[in-house]
Amino acid sequence: MKFLLDTHLLLWIAGDPERLSEELRNELSDAANEFIFSAGSLWEISIKSSLGRDDFRVDPRLLRQALLDNGYFELPITSEHAVSIDALPPLHKDPFDRILLAQALAEGVTLLTADEQLARYAGPVRKV
């Protein structure tokens, strides 16, 4: 199965793995699964890190390379993804989360998240 990981899950995988649920740890250890990270997540990390957010203290360049080195696949943001956002109901206003959901919908993958509000969307999103 293919999974797109939300930004906080990427941060926890890289630096705070004890925050991961047992369900996600099981998914991560299953060799049949493919894991994808969005360019949007690295954009979010870059912006929020530069604003001094304590929960985004990671070098996005190092994180990107570590994800690639560990077999994760990078998903760029396309114009198809960008224009798909207008079809989403206004359940969540965070633009980074909305682009991740639009990407999951367009790419036919499941978005894994720890965000209860994001998980309220119908479609390929699952709280872990």
Side-chain angles (χ1 to χ4, degrees):
M1 187 143 193
K2 291 185 180 184
F3 296 109
L4 177 61
L5 298 166
D6 86 354
T7 305
H8 272 95
L9 295 181
L10 294 173
L11 290 169
W12 296 346
I13 288 167
D16 206 2
E18 62 277 358
R19 294 191 67 179
L20 300 173
S21 69
E22 184 176 339
E23 177 185 1
L24 181 55
R25 281 188 234 135
N26 290 337
E27 296 284 7
L28 290 168
S29 66
D30 186 341
N33 292 330
E34 287 184 29
F35 295 96
I36 303 165
F37 68 95
S38 171
S41 289
L42 296 178
W43 180 27
E44 179 180 14
I45 291 166
S46 295
I47 289 171
K48 292 181 178 178
S49 176
S50 71
L51 294 173
R53 290 261 312 254
D54 286 340
D55 54 339
F56 285 85
R57 288 191 177 197
V58 65
D59 182 327
R61 289 170 189 81
L62 293 177
L63 176 59
R64 177 183 180 272
Q65 193 57 56
L67 291 167
L68 293 170
D69 289 348
N70 283 287
Y72 292 72
F73 298 93
E74 183 174 5
L75 179 61
I77 297 173
T78 68
S79 57
E80 178 186 4
H81 301 148
V83 300
S84 297
I85 290 175
D86 69 352
L88 298 175
L91 299 177
H92 199 1
K93 295 183 190 216
D94 184 310
F96 297 109
D97 287 341
R98 290 174 64 82
I99 194 67
L100 292 177
L101 183 57
Q103 287 182 296
L105 287 163
E107 301 299 323
V109 299
T110 300
L111 173 62
L112 298 181
T113 184
D115 184 329
E116 288 186 32
Q117 193 171 3
L118 181 56
R120 289 180 30 217
Y121 280 99
V125 60
R126 190 172 90 215
K127 184 177 182 301
V128 291

